[in-house]
Amino acid sequence: GGRYEAVVPHWFWCKVTDTRERWVPFSAQDSERLEEAHGAGKEQGDVVVPTSGGRYDVHLRTRQRVAVYWEEEVSEVRRCTWFYKGDKDNKYIPYSESFSEELEEAYMIAVTLGEWKKKLESPNREVIILHNPKLMVHYHPVASSDDWVSTPTEQGRPRTVKRGVENIAVEIPNGEPLQIDHLVFVVHGIGPACDIRFRSIVQCVNDFRNVSLSMLQAHFKKAQEQQQVGRVEFLPVNWHSSLHSTGVDVDLERITLPSINRLRHFINDTILDVFFYNSSTYCQTIVDTVASEMNRLHRLFLQRNPQFKGGVSIAGHSLGSLILFDLLTNQKADPEEDENCAQGSRTASSPGGTEEVKEILKKLELSEYCDVFEKEKMDRQALFLCTEKNLKEMGIPLGPRMKILHYISSKTEMKLWLHPQSPGNTSTEIVSSTNLNIPLSQVSANYPQLNYKPTIFFAFGSPIGMFLTVRGVKRIDPNYSLPTCKGFFNIYHPFDPVAYRIEPMIVPDLEFEPMLLPHHKGRKRMHLELKEGLTRMSVDLKNNLLGSLRVAWQSFTRSPVPALEAGSTEAEAEAEAGTEKQTDTKPEEPPAAKEESPPLINVGRLNGGNRIDYVLQEKPIESFNEYLFALQGHLCYWESEDTVLLVLKEIYQTQGITLDQPLPGSQ
């Protein structure tokens, strides 16, 4: 007989998509942890093991995998040792645990006694034959007769049987670093589907997270080796389901026309979210859901990761970014921060503050309440921070309450975005400083407060610019910054039909390009270089038809935008010397270079003085048909390495950790 070595189990979970089952292996570290708990906890009650970076709990006794932060069907978990694969299966499928034990026992006897050609019957009357350690097969019983046929070969093609996970072609995922440096909440946009394949926000954020893990390995290797960097956790925030559970769908159903059925349902499910957001009834539901969900996730995350010391950032896609923007503009900063925001201009809590409140009440014909406000020491600034609840507590009846709230919202809306015209004009100066931190959108909603101050706000494919314009905001005061969040990036794909820029609203008089997001492998995308190179080459050839081809060739290989690319080469210098004579060959280049260099453009304090608008580079195929790729452009952010890398770079920069090699074109 031979030497028998026990099989090494690996843990799998069952992924069900449209009734199709697929068994997915846990990462090596998760599987080891499960095996350890399985070995230790036989007598105890239900042992719970956190897996997949703490986003799923496995209940060992019931063999279930349960999502922690969002709702999801529970998946079956299995401790796998033996697998089979039929003709039509493209992946190996694990046998049940009890039958695997029988197989293992038969295998052990066969090895120790050296007796092969062992025959076993599976629970549903199928036959497994162990010919030798390398060849083990599984036969289907013949459907026609109940008797076992002596020659199993007649029973159609057998299935292959394998022992141990190392013998089946399956990719065991890499585990995730245990240390979490930063938490990012991701809020989805319109409708329940987040990308072109109609996947949910959970799946899209999973992609984003996976891309971020590979980007960390590629671009933060040094920091990872020195253990400065673990990973960033991305958690999805779902609000669509709670909006559509208000019974509004049934009402819509009644009034929806029967023609072009699918299109109308698509519109009811998606584009209508925008209208819902603009109606005060549903807007309140949406902002409440988003804020309470983000606070709930934050609390739960801290409970599960008590040692977490990192910051929290937030990201929103399309309408999600607008919801976050409105929430963030309505956060209340600490008083000392308000002072900073006022930046030395006269603040409103000056001695005449309460006098101003009297004036306002007089204007609203509510003079009889002056004493109440005086007793509560309400100056103008305090009045503008009032919520309905505060006024109610002060004993102001409903009618006057409504008048005061309407006045507050109309004033803040009108004046927040006014730019102080001149230093002498104190009235607008006061306005721009005191109301700087309480803008209200046109939709009057009571905006909840978040439990934390976000480090950075990332907007992907965002219509913020368009919505502000529609709400009558002409421009954003360069001194304005979000009360509790110092960073703001607006990232979009050039063909995204929903995306709008922000910077021109801060600097309306200057025309300038957005920042080009560096390709994650450095340089520009090859086809963009080709496109620019070919354009230059044709200009050179036209102007100097008889000129040597060498000059043209050099102009083709010349690196594109000076400000974007690092260092010029000798060939470039030569090429430039060769083309110096034709001054009209490249009339557009010098200004382009100027536009690209960030220090010349001051885009205000919304992103702490840094640039806000970042545009992705399109893929070669996309530039052939912009319309065809428009929808895809709006949904491409989840798997875009360039987007993920910018997010990681900015997050880690706040902790003083930089990329291994700075990318060309990045600030």
Side-chain angles (χ1 to χ4, degrees):
R3 259 184 75 243
Y4 164 77
E5 280 180 21
V7 65
V8 178
H10 194 92
W11 291 72
F12 282 66
W13 59 278
C14 185
K15 186 178 185 176
V16 181
T17 36
D18 314 327
T19 68
R20 268 186 44 243
E21 288 190 355
R22 194 161 70 86
W23 285 90
V24 183
F26 282 99
S27 72
Q29 58 195 49
D30 281 348
S31 187
E32 274 167 34
R33 242 180 268 134
L34 287 164
E35 188 56 31
E36 220 169 276
H38 170 77
K42 279 203 169 122
E43 277 70 60
Q44 299 163 12
D46 192 14
V47 181
V48 178
V49 181
T51 59
S52 308
R55 293 180 300 279
Y56 289 90
D57 279 343
V58 170
H59 295 259
L60 267 188
R61 202 187 48 189
T62 51
R63 295 284 196 266
Q64 286 183 326
R65 173 180 185 263
V66 184
V68 172
Y69 296 105
W70 53 83
E71 283 178 22
E72 192 179 298
E73 288 285 313
V74 172
S75 331
E76 185 191 339
V77 170
R78 198 174 281 180
R79 178 175 182 259
C80 304
T81 48
W82 285 75
F83 305 84
Y84 66 87
K85 177 174 148 186
D87 263 0
K88 297 187 176 61
D89 307 321
N90 52 2
K91 292 230 172 7
Y92 277 92
I93 298 163
Y95 283 111
S96 73
E97 292 186 32
S98 54
F99 188 62
S100 292
E101 280 173 21
E102 283 181 41
L103 282 167
E104 185 61 24
E105 209 170 300
Y107 178 87
M108 180 177 78
I109 295 166
V111 172
T112 25
L113 302 179
E115 290 172 9
W116 288 93
K117 300 231 185 318
K118 276 198 143 353
K119 212 180 205 182
L120 272 94
E121 193 174 316
S122 83
N124 44 359
R125 309 231 18 229
E126 297 175 8
V127 175
I128 289 111
I129 298 182
L130 312 179
H131 288 291
N132 61 49
K134 294 279 174 276
L135 178 65
M136 299 178 271
V137 284
H138 174 147
Y139 294 102
H140 287 281
V142 170
S144 57
S145 80
D146 281 344
D147 305 322
W148 286 108
V149 180
S150 53
T151 52
T153 39
E154 294 163 19
Q155 303 171 10
R157 295 283 301 276
R159 294 166 168 179
T160 329
V161 175
K162 294 279 183 202
R163 172 183 182 263
V165 72
E166 63 279 3
N167 292 315
I168 63 170
V170 63
E171 202 176 316
I172 290 171
N174 290 329
E176 299 171 28
L178 290 176
Q179 174 195 332
I180 299 174
D181 305 318
H182 202 90
L183 175 61
V184 180
F185 292 118
V186 186
V187 179
H188 64 83
I190 302 170
C194 288
D195 75 350
I196 208 89
R197 300 195 291 260
F198 291 103
R199 297 176 317 154
S200 70
I201 176 75
V202 172
Q203 293 166 303
C204 292
V205 173
N206 284 347
D207 276 352
F208 204 82
R209 188 185 308 105
N210 292 338
V211 174
S212 83
L213 291 171
S214 62
M215 288 291 108
L216 279 171
Q217 280 175 346
H219 293 275
F220 289 88
K221 202 126 199 85
K222 273 210 291 264
Q224 269 191 338
E225 281 160 9
Q226 293 161 7
Q227 308 211 313
Q228 293 175 303
V229 163
R231 68 183 178 91
V232 175
E233 180 61 284
F234 295 90
L235 294 179
V237 177
N238 183 355
W239 56 268
H240 181 86
S241 43
S242 62
L243 166 68
H244 286 264
S245 61
T246 52
V248 67
D249 285 357
V250 184
D251 303 341
L252 274 175
E253 194 65 42
R254 287 196 200 100
I255 58 171
T256 303
L257 305 184
S259 57
I260 49 171
N261 196 328
R262 285 178 64 184
L263 178 64
R264 289 185 197 277
H265 276 114
F266 176 72
I267 288 172
N268 283 358
D269 250 3
T270 56
I271 297 161
L272 279 180
D273 283 1
V274 176
F275 293 111
F276 280 133
Y277 188 62
N278 272 345
S279 98
S280 47
T281 331
Y282 293 111
C283 173
Q284 191 63 59
T285 309
I286 294 175
V287 293
D288 284 349
T289 308
V290 171
S292 66
E293 184 64 0
M294 279 163 69
N295 285 337
R296 179 188 76 84
L297 290 169
H298 185 245
R299 277 195 306 274
L300 182 56
F301 179 82
L302 291 181
Q303 264 169 25
R304 293 178 63 93
N305 301 276
Q307 69 295 351
F308 176 72
K309 296 279 182 288
V312 182
S313 288
I314 52 182
H317 178 235
S318 95
L319 185 64
S321 64
L322 178 68
I323 299 167
L324 288 177
F325 184 78
D326 284 347
L327 267 173
L328 286 178
T329 47
N330 288 282
Q331 296 299 298
K332 296 185 172 72
D334 299 341
E336 67 272 13
E337 285 185 32
D338 272 355
E339 291 300 314
N340 300 344
C341 288
Q343 280 209 323
S345 60
R346 241 187 77 210
T347 48
S349 43
S350 52
T354 42
E355 292 306 311
E356 274 185 73
V357 173
K358 280 186 186 164
E359 295 283 305
I360 292 170
L361 292 171
K362 196 168 158 192
K363 202 176 357 176
L364 297 174
E365 297 171 2
L366 300 172
S367 297
E368 69 256 41
Y369 298 106
C370 282
D371 298 348
V372 184
F373 279 85
E374 211 164 310
K375 196 176 116 224
E376 296 286 348
K377 294 195 169 47
M378 291 289 262
D379 59 12
R380 187 194 157 99
Q381 191 173 9
L383 177 69
F384 274 85
L385 289 167
C386 263
T387 62
E388 187 185 0
K389 196 167 151 219
N390 302 145
L391 293 171
K392 200 172 181 177
E393 282 163 3
M394 285 164 64
I396 311 284
L398 181 65
R401 264 203 322 262
M402 289 298 115
K403 281 186 182 173
I404 294 169
L405 287 169
H406 180 71
Y407 175 81
I408 293 174
S409 68
S410 63
K411 282 296 167 212
T412 39
E413 216 169 278
M414 300 245 321
K415 294 189 176 174
L416 158 82
W417 309 102
L418 270 182
H419 185 50
Q421 280 97 21
S422 66
N425 186 344
T426 47
S427 64
T428 42
E429 221 172 285
I430 291 174
V431 167
S432 78
S433 65
T434 53
N435 302 342
L436 210 53
N437 285 344
I438 7 169
L440 285 169
S441 58
Q442 265 181 334
V443 182
S444 54
N446 200 348
Y447 288 93
Q449 299 298 301
L450 297 173
N451 292 344
Y452 46 85
K453 290 182 179 167
T455 313
I456 307 177
F457 166 36
F458 297 98
F460 305 139
S462 167
I464 292 172
M466 182 263 290
F467 270 87
L468 289 180
T469 309
V470 169
R471 289 169 182 175
V473 175
K474 289 275 185 290
R475 65 174 297 195
I476 299 172
D477 184 334
N479 289 324
Y480 179 69
S481 64
L482 297 167
T484 57
C485 178
K486 296 298 164 251
F488 176 30
F489 289 84
N490 180 34
I491 302 162
Y492 59 92
H493 187 281
F495 304 153
D496 185 340
V498 182
Y500 289 80
R501 285 190 65 182
I502 298 275
E503 290 172 343
M505 295 188 73
I506 304 169
V507 192
D509 325 322
L510 203 63
E511 269 197 30
F512 55 98
E513 292 297 307
M515 294 292 289
L516 189 65
L517 252 179
H519 186 39
H520 65 281
K521 291 206 166 75
R523 288 183 74 87
K524 283 189 177 179
R525 283 191 186 274
M526 183 64 184
H527 76 285
L528 286 181
E529 294 190 353
L530 273 173
K531 206 151 84 176
E532 287 178 4
L534 285 167
T535 335
R536 258 201 308 268
M537 185 169 172
S538 63
V539 172
D540 286 0
L541 284 172
K542 264 186 224 149
N543 288 340
N544 189 358
L545 204 59
L546 302 168
S548 72
L549 225 135
R550 189 171 133 272
V551 174
W553 174 247
Q554 280 168 341
S555 79
F556 175 59
T557 50
R558 185 162 66 229
S559 118
V561 184
L564 268 187
E565 303 296 340
S568 69
T569 58
E570 287 170 35
E572 232 176 280
E574 258 178 59
E576 274 169 26
T579 46
E580 246 164 29
K581 294 162 212 141
Q582 312 112 16
T583 41
D584 53 345
T585 53
K586 27 174 215 167
E588 291 155 25
E589 266 198 21
K594 260 196 220 101
E595 283 171 15
E596 295 286 357
S597 52
L600 298 180
I601 302 162
N602 174 17
V603 288
R605 294 179 51 216
L606 198 51
N607 189 19
N610 300 317
R611 291 292 301 269
I612 299 165
D613 292 340
Y614 281 77
V615 61
L616 287 163
Q617 304 181 27
E618 79 264 24
K619 294 194 181 80
I621 187 162
E622 292 172 347
S623 45
F624 294 129
N625 185 341
E626 302 190 356
Y627 293 99
L628 190 64
F629 288 97
L631 183 61
Q632 210 165 339
H634 182 53
L635 302 167
C636 69
Y637 305 97
W638 307 115
E639 292 170 39
S640 154
E641 285 112 332
D642 303 356
T643 307
V644 173
L645 191 56
L646 178 79
V647 169
L648 292 176
K649 173 179 156 263
E650 293 304 330
I651 283 174
Y652 278 115
Q653 214 154 305
T654 61
Q655 302 178 13
I657 296 167
T658 50
L659 295 163
D660 294 343
Q661 245 125 27
L663 289 168
S666 54
Q667 266 176 279

